Amino acid sequence: MLKVKIFSQKQRQKFWYGVLACLTTLLCILVSPVVARDVVSQGLTASVVASSSQEEAAKNLYMSGRFAEAVKLLQQAYQTSGNQVEKAVILSNLALNLHQLGRIDEASGAIEEAIAILQNTANSPQRLPVWAQVWDIKGNLELAQGKAQAALSSWETTASLYQQLKDSNRAILTQINQAQALQALGLYRREISLLQSLTTDLQKEPDSLAKAASFRNLGEALALAGDIEQAKKHLQQSLEIAEKLQSAENIATAYLSLGNLAYIPGSSIEQKNTALAYYEKAAVSSTTATSKIPAQLNCLRLLIELEQWPAAQALYPEIQSQIARLPLGRSAIYAQVNLAQRLLEMRQKFPNPNPETIGKILAVARQQAQQLQDVRSESFVLGNLGHLYELSQQWSIAQDLTRQALNLSQSIQAPDIAYRWQWQLGRILCQSKPQCDQTEAIAAYQQAFNTLQNIRSDLIATNKNVQFSFRETVEPVYRRLVDLLLQSSASSQENLTQARNVIEALQVAKLQNYLRQACEDTKLALDKVIDSKDKTSAVIYVIILNNRLEVILKRPNQELSHYATPPQQKIEEVVSRLYENLQEDGSYEEVQQDGQKVYNWLIQPIEKELKDSKIKNLIFVLDGPLRKIPMASLYDGQQYLVEKYAVSLALGLQVREPIPLDRAKIKVLAASLTQPPNNTELSGFSRLANVEQEIKEIKKTGLAVNWIADREFTTNNFNKKLNAANFDVVHLATHGLFSANRENTFVVTADGKLKIDEFDRLFLNQGQKRDSFARRRHRRIELLVLSACQTATGNDQEVMGIAGTTVQAGASSAIASLWDLDDEASVPFIKEFYTHLGQPNISRAEALRLAQQALLKNPKYDHPRYWAPYVLVGSWL
């Protein structure tokens, strides 16, 4: 058994201080440049072949990541060149290098000058390939500046030019770039459609290394777009072609991409082992340090996460020796910083390596960045050095290094790394004094938040893992800012408002990441709705922080108030136990005990305020694991919450304008499926014997119902019926699943799965239809009822599936279930719900409450197992 020596906190701090006291001296040590070949991959197209020795040398410097030196050579070449097309080539390559240095304005100027030159050389036979490259680089520069629409236009021009040149591989790569621009614009469906259409074009091409690279790029782009299944398919095709052509480097690169696809921060041990196997194959297949090092670094990361210490200890010296073979360049610097980060992670869990090793690695990387005049790399190194000192609690040095890193990142307009140093500065300011310097710390966190808000979509568009690792890379910034804003016992209205806005921004970000599309539509602030339209409702906003629950209350025409509750037990433990017992018939006492604990956290402190304001409806904006608990089931010691209030959920502080339903005008489209299709993918779903009766009960209430049943309930038939008329309510009495994974969120039809990705195509047609003369705006769906659907495992992220389905369907609200419903109990519930829906002075939330109370009063169904799982998300009126 591996024995780990455990150091006390005091011993550890003393040891780190002793080592790091000498680190400032180490930073000044000159080192000899290392020797080998490096390739910089930033998603830019390769430059046109240089036509002079200076240009060839500049190209080699670019490939080695020595951008400042390349700029000097290209500027000299430009001065001596007399050929106009050659000048345009030089300017385009100059733009590439200036872009890497973060000198975006200069890079844009170089490209514009190249375009002006080429516009005056229309008769040159060399013009067309250069013209294509210039527009390609222009697109990259525009995307880097956040001008995604302009980038899309530039790349459309580029693709057209490459098609004229009959260069199909570069045309495909340019279309992949277009997909990146579409993603930055939030047009995920268009992105997927474009990427999938490229598959047909690629299949026609003969096998070649270029085809292997195109399949790999296509697979990586599909991974960014969230289509994991197709991404893996195309990466496997890239690997097969590379193996057929016996290209060791392409084989290694394909394995590396497959490993990146398999690895998701926070994933299961099985997934991590799968990714590790791919990375190990990539390292073994590779014949150069350039491709071997990324694979080995990823192996090291996973070995640390899997706590395989002997293997990790054996690997990192090997990586160090490989890095020593790299040339002086950005890739070498990044590799060293990456290694230092991995060793720091290992150091925090395991007594080796020596902290001095980490300090020396970063010292060398800093010296190399300065030697190359690479501001971005130097910022990256300094920030990590600041983190090293932060962990050793040498606050003054940590703060100074972090500020230097931040200043450098801002000088080159690199917000993707600036937010890290703003976040780090906030942490240091909070830890450096016995009492956190709240003013300065809040300012630092606010800057990090603002930066993230501006670049979040760009991060998602360029980094697959960001969308899956919000809790590690983004969420802490939001939550710590909220923590600081609410720490004061007398938080100002400004602080309370800002805290809600920050958390809401996080909720919106999560929903957009889940849907892989921008959430559009005109919305109203919840506060304004209850101040003017519905003065019987209150909003309860719950925020889970490290050491407490914060609850912010908004009552009609009242200022915000808030209170904090430090739970005596871990929130997750209580919530998980309550969630399990809610589904166990007969567990009345257990449900009421834990239900009362949650009630005391959230409701008990404001009982008087709610009563004084004559509140009848509670709108909850929930956080974390509390999302999987139906608030109706909370217990005050004598009554469930549903016996006192109507309850609904909101995704954030904005909603579509709530409009009460008019019972006389309600039109319902109902679809039911008794027997799921005989499909291996759907083998876990049972027969629903009562769905036919369920729909009959809706019809008995006198509402206008258009019904599709059983074999007629296909996706195509449903689509036709939906678009044949305006429906206010769509009722789906069929199995369905809400999952943390968007790909596994669907409802079951007679011909298979109707996935959430198809909801926008089906349902939004209802809101935007075309007749023979003009496009006419039709009513939105007001209510989507998913009567037999369930969440997959009770993960709080799966509530995002309900929310996502609602948004994707373009509905104002949805009713769904947090666990598997009792098929028999659903019939009386549905009967009661539709009996009351739309009646005068009865809102959707009140209709739901009355239906739940009807089951609660029935001895057969009085356990929360039967009536509690139904939740209303969205508009409650």
Side-chain angles (χ1 to χ4, degrees), residues 64-101:
S64 297
R66 299 168 67 170
F67 308 115
E69 295 169 75
V71 165
K72 290 180 181 178
L73 278 179
L74 289 167
Q75 288 171 335
Q76 292 171 10
Y78 179 80
Q79 295 299 324
T80 59
S81 175
N83 182 287
Q84 291 297 97
V85 174
E86 185 179 331
K87 278 182 177 288
V89 173
I90 294 169
L91 286 167
S92 68
N93 288 328
L94 180 62
L96 283 172
N97 286 278
L98 289 168
H99 173 253
Q100 293 295 338
L101 291 170

Short mmCIF file of all heavy atoms in Angstrom, two decimals, residues 64-101:
data_model
loop_
_atom_site.label_atom_id
_atom_site.label_comp_id
_atom_site.label_asym_id
_atom_site.label_seq_id
_atom_site.Cartn_x
_atom_site.Cartn_y
_atom_site.Cartn_z
N SER A 64 7.40 27.86 -34.67
CA SER A 64 8.05 27.59 -33.38
C SER A 64 7.48 28.43 -32.26
O SER A 64 7.93 28.32 -31.12
CB SER A 64 9.56 27.84 -33.49
OG SER A 64 10.14 26.95 -34.41
N GLY A 65 6.54 29.33 -32.59
CA GLY A 65 5.95 30.17 -31.57
C GLY A 65 6.81 31.35 -31.17
O GLY A 65 6.63 31.92 -30.09
N ARG A 66 7.71 31.77 -32.08
CA ARG A 66 8.59 32.92 -31.80
C ARG A 66 8.08 34.10 -32.63
O ARG A 66 8.67 34.52 -33.62
CB ARG A 66 10.03 32.55 -32.10
CG ARG A 66 10.51 31.39 -31.25
CD ARG A 66 11.83 30.79 -31.69
NE ARG A 66 12.95 31.71 -31.51
CZ ARG A 66 14.23 31.34 -31.64
NH1 ARG A 66 14.51 30.08 -31.93
NH2 ARG A 66 15.19 32.22 -31.47
N PHE A 67 6.95 34.64 -32.19
CA PHE A 67 6.18 35.57 -33.01
C PHE A 67 6.83 36.94 -33.13
O PHE A 67 6.79 37.57 -34.19
CB PHE A 67 4.76 35.70 -32.44
CG PHE A 67 4.09 34.37 -32.23
CD1 PHE A 67 3.76 33.95 -30.95
CD2 PHE A 67 3.82 33.54 -33.30
CE1 PHE A 67 3.15 32.72 -30.75
CE2 PHE A 67 3.21 32.31 -33.10
CZ PHE A 67 2.88 31.90 -31.82
N ALA A 68 7.42 37.45 -32.04
CA ALA A 68 8.03 38.78 -32.09
C ALA A 68 9.19 38.81 -33.09
O ALA A 68 9.35 39.78 -33.84
CB ALA A 68 8.52 39.18 -30.70
N GLU A 69 10.00 37.75 -33.10
CA GLU A 69 11.11 37.67 -34.06
C GLU A 69 10.58 37.57 -35.49
O GLU A 69 11.14 38.18 -36.41
CB GLU A 69 11.99 36.47 -33.74
CG GLU A 69 12.70 36.56 -32.39
CD GLU A 69 13.33 35.24 -32.00
OE1 GLU A 69 14.37 34.90 -32.58
OE2 GLU A 69 12.77 34.55 -31.12
N ALA A 70 9.51 36.82 -35.68
CA ALA A 70 8.92 36.69 -37.00
C ALA A 70 8.40 38.04 -37.50
O ALA A 70 8.54 38.37 -38.68
CB ALA A 70 7.78 35.67 -36.98
N VAL A 71 7.82 38.83 -36.61
CA VAL A 71 7.32 40.15 -36.99
C VAL A 71 8.45 41.02 -37.53
O VAL A 71 8.31 41.69 -38.57
CB VAL A 71 6.64 40.83 -35.77
CG1 VAL A 71 6.43 42.33 -36.03
CG2 VAL A 71 5.30 40.17 -35.49
N LYS A 72 9.59 41.03 -36.85
CA LYS A 72 10.73 41.85 -37.31
C LYS A 72 11.20 41.43 -38.70
O LYS A 72 11.45 42.26 -39.57
CB LYS A 72 11.88 41.73 -36.31
CG LYS A 72 11.61 42.41 -34.98
CD LYS A 72 12.79 42.26 -34.03
CE LYS A 72 12.49 42.93 -32.68
NZ LYS A 72 13.62 42.75 -31.72
N LEU A 73 11.30 40.12 -38.93
CA LEU A 73 11.75 39.64 -40.24
C LEU A 73 10.75 40.01 -41.33
O LEU A 73 11.14 40.42 -42.44
CB LEU A 73 11.94 38.12 -40.20
CG LEU A 73 13.27 37.61 -39.64
CD1 LEU A 73 13.28 36.09 -39.66
CD2 LEU A 73 14.45 38.13 -40.46
N LEU A 74 9.47 39.86 -41.05
CA LEU A 74 8.44 40.16 -42.05
C LEU A 74 8.38 41.65 -42.35
O LEU A 74 8.15 42.06 -43.50
CB LEU A 74 7.08 39.66 -41.58
CG LEU A 74 6.92 38.13 -41.58
CD1 LEU A 74 5.68 37.71 -40.81
CD2 LEU A 74 6.86 37.60 -43.01
N GLN A 75 8.59 42.47 -41.34
CA GLN A 75 8.61 43.91 -41.58
C GLN A 75 9.79 44.29 -42.48
O GLN A 75 9.67 45.15 -43.36
CB GLN A 75 8.68 44.67 -40.25
CG GLN A 75 7.36 44.61 -39.46
CD GLN A 75 7.47 45.17 -38.06
OE1 GLN A 75 8.56 45.19 -37.47
NE2 GLN A 75 6.35 45.61 -37.49
N GLN A 76 10.93 43.61 -42.26
CA GLN A 76 12.10 43.85 -43.13
C GLN A 76 11.81 43.38 -44.55
O GLN A 76 12.13 44.07 -45.53
CB GLN A 76 13.32 43.12 -42.56
CG GLN A 76 13.83 43.69 -41.24
CD GLN A 76 14.89 42.80 -40.61
OE1 GLN A 76 15.39 41.85 -41.23
NE2 GLN A 76 15.24 43.10 -39.36
N ALA A 77 11.18 42.20 -44.67
CA ALA A 77 10.86 41.66 -45.99
C ALA A 77 9.90 42.57 -46.74
O ALA A 77 10.01 42.76 -47.96
CB ALA A 77 10.27 40.26 -45.86
N TYR A 78 8.97 43.15 -46.03
CA TYR A 78 7.99 44.05 -46.66
C TYR A 78 8.69 45.28 -47.25
O TYR A 78 8.34 45.75 -48.35
CB TYR A 78 6.96 44.48 -45.63
CG TYR A 78 5.91 45.43 -46.18
CD1 TYR A 78 4.84 44.95 -46.92
CD2 TYR A 78 6.01 46.81 -45.96
CE1 TYR A 78 3.88 45.82 -47.44
CE2 TYR A 78 5.06 47.68 -46.46
CZ TYR A 78 4.00 47.18 -47.20
OH TYR A 78 3.07 48.04 -47.71
N GLN A 79 9.67 45.79 -46.52
CA GLN A 79 10.38 46.98 -46.99
C GLN A 79 11.18 46.72 -48.25
O GLN A 79 11.35 47.62 -49.09
CB GLN A 79 11.32 47.49 -45.88
CG GLN A 79 10.61 47.99 -44.63
CD GLN A 79 9.69 49.16 -44.90
OE1 GLN A 79 9.98 50.02 -45.73
NE2 GLN A 79 8.55 49.19 -44.20
N THR A 80 11.67 45.50 -48.41
CA THR A 80 12.54 45.19 -49.56
C THR A 80 11.79 44.59 -50.74
O THR A 80 12.34 44.49 -51.83
CB THR A 80 13.65 44.22 -49.13
OG1 THR A 80 13.06 43.03 -48.62
CG2 THR A 80 14.53 44.86 -48.06
N SER A 81 10.55 44.19 -50.56
CA SER A 81 9.81 43.54 -51.63
C SER A 81 9.27 44.57 -52.62
O SER A 81 8.76 45.62 -52.23
CB SER A 81 8.64 42.73 -51.06
OG SER A 81 7.85 42.19 -52.10
N GLY A 82 9.32 44.21 -53.91
CA GLY A 82 8.79 45.10 -54.94
C GLY A 82 7.56 44.55 -55.61
O GLY A 82 6.91 45.25 -56.39
N ASN A 83 7.22 43.28 -55.32
CA ASN A 83 6.07 42.63 -55.94
C ASN A 83 4.83 42.84 -55.07
O ASN A 83 4.84 42.55 -53.87
CB ASN A 83 6.36 41.13 -56.09
CG ASN A 83 5.23 40.39 -56.76
OD1 ASN A 83 4.19 40.19 -56.15
ND2 ASN A 83 5.44 40.01 -58.00
N GLN A 84 3.74 43.35 -55.67
CA GLN A 84 2.56 43.70 -54.90
C GLN A 84 1.88 42.48 -54.28
O GLN A 84 1.46 42.52 -53.11
CB GLN A 84 1.55 44.46 -55.79
CG GLN A 84 2.01 45.86 -56.18
CD GLN A 84 2.19 46.76 -54.99
OE1 GLN A 84 3.32 46.92 -54.50
NE2 GLN A 84 1.11 47.35 -54.51
N VAL A 85 1.76 41.39 -55.05
CA VAL A 85 1.13 40.18 -54.49
C VAL A 85 1.98 39.63 -53.35
O VAL A 85 1.46 39.19 -52.31
CB VAL A 85 0.92 39.12 -55.58
CG1 VAL A 85 0.41 37.81 -54.98
CG2 VAL A 85 -0.07 39.62 -56.62
N GLU A 86 3.31 39.69 -53.53
CA GLU A 86 4.20 39.23 -52.46
C GLU A 86 4.03 40.09 -51.21
O GLU A 86 4.06 39.57 -50.09
CB GLU A 86 5.66 39.27 -52.94
CG GLU A 86 6.62 38.68 -51.91
CD GLU A 86 8.06 38.70 -52.39
OE1 GLU A 86 8.29 38.63 -53.60
OE2 GLU A 86 8.95 38.78 -51.53
N LYS A 87 3.84 41.40 -51.41
CA LYS A 87 3.61 42.28 -50.25
C LYS A 87 2.34 41.85 -49.49
O LYS A 87 2.30 41.86 -48.26
CB LYS A 87 3.46 43.73 -50.72
CG LYS A 87 4.77 44.49 -50.96
CD LYS A 87 4.48 45.92 -51.37
CE LYS A 87 5.77 46.72 -51.53
NZ LYS A 87 6.41 47.02 -50.24
N ALA A 88 1.31 41.47 -50.25
CA ALA A 88 0.07 41.03 -49.62
C ALA A 88 0.29 39.74 -48.83
O ALA A 88 -0.27 39.56 -47.74
CB ALA A 88 -1.02 40.81 -50.67
N VAL A 89 1.13 38.83 -49.38
CA VAL A 89 1.47 37.60 -48.66
C VAL A 89 2.18 37.94 -47.35
O VAL A 89 1.85 37.41 -46.28
CB VAL A 89 2.36 36.69 -49.53
CG1 VAL A 89 2.85 35.50 -48.70
CG2 VAL A 89 1.60 36.21 -50.75
N ILE A 90 3.15 38.84 -47.45
CA ILE A 90 3.92 39.22 -46.26
C ILE A 90 3.00 39.83 -45.21
O ILE A 90 3.07 39.51 -44.02
CB ILE A 90 5.05 40.21 -46.64
CG1 ILE A 90 6.07 39.51 -47.53
CG2 ILE A 90 5.72 40.77 -45.39
CD1 ILE A 90 7.07 40.46 -48.18
N LEU A 91 2.11 40.72 -45.65
CA LEU A 91 1.19 41.37 -44.72
C LEU A 91 0.26 40.37 -44.05
O LEU A 91 -0.06 40.49 -42.86
CB LEU A 91 0.38 42.44 -45.46
CG LEU A 91 1.13 43.72 -45.82
CD1 LEU A 91 0.32 44.54 -46.81
CD2 LEU A 91 1.42 44.54 -44.56
N SER A 92 -0.21 39.35 -44.82
CA SER A 92 -1.09 38.35 -44.22
C SER A 92 -0.35 37.54 -43.16
O SER A 92 -0.90 37.24 -42.09
CB SER A 92 -1.69 37.44 -45.29
OG SER A 92 -0.71 36.63 -45.88
N ASN A 93 0.92 37.18 -43.46
CA ASN A 93 1.70 36.44 -42.47
C ASN A 93 2.07 37.32 -41.28
O ASN A 93 2.14 36.85 -40.14
CB ASN A 93 2.96 35.87 -43.12
CG ASN A 93 2.64 34.71 -44.04
OD1 ASN A 93 1.70 33.97 -43.81
ND2 ASN A 93 3.41 34.56 -45.11
N LEU A 94 2.28 38.61 -41.55
CA LEU A 94 2.54 39.55 -40.47
C LEU A 94 1.32 39.62 -39.54
O LEU A 94 1.45 39.63 -38.30
CB LEU A 94 2.84 40.94 -41.05
CG LEU A 94 3.13 42.06 -40.05
CD1 LEU A 94 4.36 41.74 -39.21
CD2 LEU A 94 3.32 43.39 -40.79
N ALA A 95 0.12 39.64 -40.13
CA ALA A 95 -1.10 39.67 -39.34
C ALA A 95 -1.23 38.44 -38.45
O ALA A 95 -1.67 38.53 -37.30
CB ALA A 95 -2.32 39.78 -40.26
N LEU A 96 -0.83 37.26 -38.99
CA LEU A 96 -0.87 36.04 -38.19
C LEU A 96 -0.04 36.19 -36.92
O LEU A 96 -0.48 35.83 -35.82
CB LEU A 96 -0.34 34.86 -39.01
CG LEU A 96 -1.26 34.25 -40.07
CD1 LEU A 96 -0.48 33.25 -40.90
CD2 LEU A 96 -2.45 33.58 -39.44
N ASN A 97 1.16 36.70 -37.07
CA ASN A 97 2.06 36.82 -35.93
C ASN A 97 1.63 37.92 -34.97
O ASN A 97 1.69 37.74 -33.75
CB ASN A 97 3.49 37.08 -36.43
CG ASN A 97 4.14 35.85 -37.02
OD1 ASN A 97 4.66 35.00 -36.31
ND2 ASN A 97 4.10 35.72 -38.34
N LEU A 98 1.17 39.04 -35.49
CA LEU A 98 0.69 40.12 -34.63
C LEU A 98 -0.53 39.66 -33.83
O LEU A 98 -0.70 40.01 -32.66
CB LEU A 98 0.32 41.34 -35.48
CG LEU A 98 1.51 42.10 -36.10
CD1 LEU A 98 1.02 43.09 -37.14
CD2 LEU A 98 2.32 42.82 -35.01
N HIS A 99 -1.37 38.85 -34.47
CA HIS A 99 -2.54 38.29 -33.79
C HIS A 99 -2.12 37.44 -32.60
O HIS A 99 -2.68 37.53 -31.50
CB HIS A 99 -3.36 37.46 -34.78
CG HIS A 99 -4.50 36.71 -34.16
ND1 HIS A 99 -4.48 35.35 -34.00
CD2 HIS A 99 -5.68 37.14 -33.65
CE1 HIS A 99 -5.60 34.97 -33.42
NE2 HIS A 99 -6.34 36.02 -33.20
N GLN A 100 -1.10 36.63 -32.80
CA GLN A 100 -0.62 35.76 -31.71
C GLN A 100 -0.04 36.58 -30.55
O GLN A 100 -0.12 36.16 -29.40
CB GLN A 100 0.44 34.78 -32.23
CG GLN A 100 -0.09 33.76 -33.21
CD GLN A 100 -1.09 32.82 -32.57
OE1 GLN A 100 -1.11 32.65 -31.37
NE2 GLN A 100 -1.95 32.23 -33.39
N LEU A 101 0.50 37.73 -30.88
CA LEU A 101 1.07 38.59 -29.84
C LEU A 101 0.02 39.46 -29.15
O LEU A 101 0.34 40.23 -28.26
CB LEU A 101 2.15 39.50 -30.45
CG LEU A 101 3.44 38.78 -30.89
CD1 LEU A 101 4.32 39.72 -31.69
CD2 LEU A 101 4.19 38.21 -29.69
#
